[in-house]
Amino acid sequence: MTVLDIDGIDTYYGNSHVLHDVSLTLAEGEVVALLGRNGAGKTTTMRSIMGVTPPRRGEITYRGEDIVGKAPNEINERGINLVPEDRRVFPTLTVHENIVLAHKLAADPRPVEEMYELFPVLDGLRRSNAQNLSGGEQQMLAVARALVQRPSLLLLDEPTEGLAPVIVDDLRTMLQDVVEQDVTVLLSEQNVTFAFDLATRGYVIDTGSIVFEGSIEEIREREDLLEQYLAVSPEEVA
Ligand SMILES: Nc1ncnc2c1ncn2[C@@H]1O[C@H](COP(=O)(O)OP(=O)(O)O)[C@@H](O)[C@H]1O
Ligand SMILES: [Mg+2]
C-alpha cells in the first residue's frame, strides 16, 4: 500500500522557485532516502509534506487523502511526524518532561518507557535539562519525542548533521532498531553511507529536481551520481 504519494510538486519561497516537479512515493514499512547536497531541496521537500511551505502545483496524497493546503497540525494529526534538522526540543525541560509532553499531545501514544528501551542513552539522562545534552543526545531526544506519538510516517531531516562520527555510529544503531518497527520513514541526508545503511530505496535531489530514483544498490553502483550530486567517491560507499 502507498503511504505517501508526491506527484509533481513545485514549491516556492516568495518568488524563489525551489522545487521543480518533484515526485516521490513511499510504500508501507519502507525506509526511503532523500539524498542531496546542501541546498538541494531536502528540507523544502519535508516542509512541503508537513504543510509548512505548501507546494503551489502538484499533489501530495497521504493514505489516499489529498493533504495539500491542510495546516501542519492537521497533517501531524493524521500520523506524519517531522524531526526537523534543528531538532526542536524544549531546552529548559528535562529529557523526561520533553518525552512526556509529546506523549500527552498524541491521541494514541506509545508508552514512554518504550522510548528508554529504544534509546538507553536517554534513560540515564531522564532528569537532565535538554539544553545540557550533546548534539547526538538531543537528536535522540527529538526522535524519541516523535516516536512516542506513534507516527505512521516519520520524516527525519538530516539527523546526522553536525554530529561527530562516533555519535553518528550510535545513532545509526538506534535508528536501525526504530526502522525495524512498524513505521514508514523518509530520511533526508547528505551523509550517504549513513543513509545507505538504513534505507532500501533512494531519490537523489539536486537544485530542486529529482535526478535519480532507484534501489540503494543501484545508487551505490552509479559512480557518476555519487561524484556529481553526492560528493562521495565510489570507494567511500563500497
Ligand atoms: N526560507 C527560505 N527563503 C528563501 N529561500 C530558501 C529558504 N529556505 C531555503 N531556501 C533555498 O531553497 C533551496 C533549497 O534549500 P533546502 O530545502 O533547505 O535544501 P537542503 O535541505 O537540501 O539543504 C536553497 O537554494 C536555499 O537557499
Ligand atoms: Mg536541509
Side-chain angles (χ1 to χ4, degrees):
M1 179 188 169
T2 304
V3 172
L4 187 76
D5 186 13
I6 302 180
D7 187 12
I9 62 167
D10 282 62
T11 300
Y12 295 69
Y13 293 106
N15 291 328
S16 171
H17 189 175
V18 171
L19 295 188
H20 302 265
D21 197 26
V22 166
S23 295
L24 181 160
T25 64
L26 279 146
E28 192 83 60
E30 265 195 315
V31 180
V32 171
L34 180 62
L35 303 165
R37 286 184 293 221
N38 198 20
K42 302 180 297 298
T43 297
T44 306
T45 302
M46 299 294 193
R47 293 166 56 100
S48 298
I49 299 168
M50 280 318 289
V52 180
T53 315
R56 287 202 200 153
R57 271 192 299 276
E59 288 170 13
I60 304 180
T61 312
Y62 173 68
R63 299 190 180 279
E65 182 190 14
D66 176 13
I67 57 169
V68 173
K70 299 215 180 307
N73 69 303
E74 293 176 305
I75 292 172
N76 177 248
E77 279 163 12
R78 281 162 174 74
I80 308 182
N81 275 51
L82 168 67
V83 180
E85 56 188 347
D86 59 6
R87 341 181 154 123
R88 246 162 278 157
V89 295
F90 293 103
T92 59
L93 298 185
T94 65
V95 165
H96 192 66
E97 288 164 344
N98 263 281
I99 299 175
V100 166
L101 194 57
H103 178 270
K104 279 192 182 144
L105 292 172
D108 177 27
R110 292 174 59 168
V112 169
E113 288 304 315
E114 276 185 27
M115 297 305 111
Y116 294 125
E117 286 161 25
L118 222 39
F119 302 98
V121 174
L122 297 179
D123 198 2
L125 293 167
R126 284 176 194 238
R127 290 176 201 286
S128 304
N129 274 348
Q131 63 197 355
N132 297 332
L133 268 49
S134 70
E137 290 159 354
Q138 281 188 12
Q139 184 63 58
M140 285 169 204
L141 178 57
V143 176
R145 281 175 48 81
L147 274 184
V148 81
Q149 299 197 322
R150 204 188 293 281
S152 127
L153 171 59
L154 181 64
L155 309 176
L156 295 174
D157 194 6
E158 279 202 58
T160 69
E161 195 189 8
L163 302 185
V166 55
I167 307 299
V168 170
D169 288 341
D170 288 349
L171 189 66
R172 180 193 286 111
T173 307
M174 283 165 207
L175 287 181
Q176 271 162 345
D177 285 345
V178 167
V179 303
E180 275 167 23
Q181 304 190 10
D182 191 19
V183 61
T184 305
V185 181
L186 180 62
L187 167 69
S188 101
E189 266 302 343
Q190 289 190 61
N191 183 333
V192 175
T193 52
F194 181 85
F196 282 6
D197 286 342
L198 290 165
T200 55
R201 217 155 58 72
Y203 293 80
V204 179
I205 187 168
D206 191 65
T207 57
S209 297
I210 301 292
V211 294
F212 186 81
E213 170 195 350
S215 70
I216 295 300
E217 286 320 306
E218 287 173 289
I219 298 173
R220 213 189 277 278
E221 285 164 14
R222 287 285 300 271
E223 256 175 63
D224 55 329
L225 290 176
L226 295 172
E227 282 173 355
Q228 188 176 353
Y229 300 116
L230 304 172
V232 286
S233 66
E235 294 75 40
E236 285 174 79
V237 299

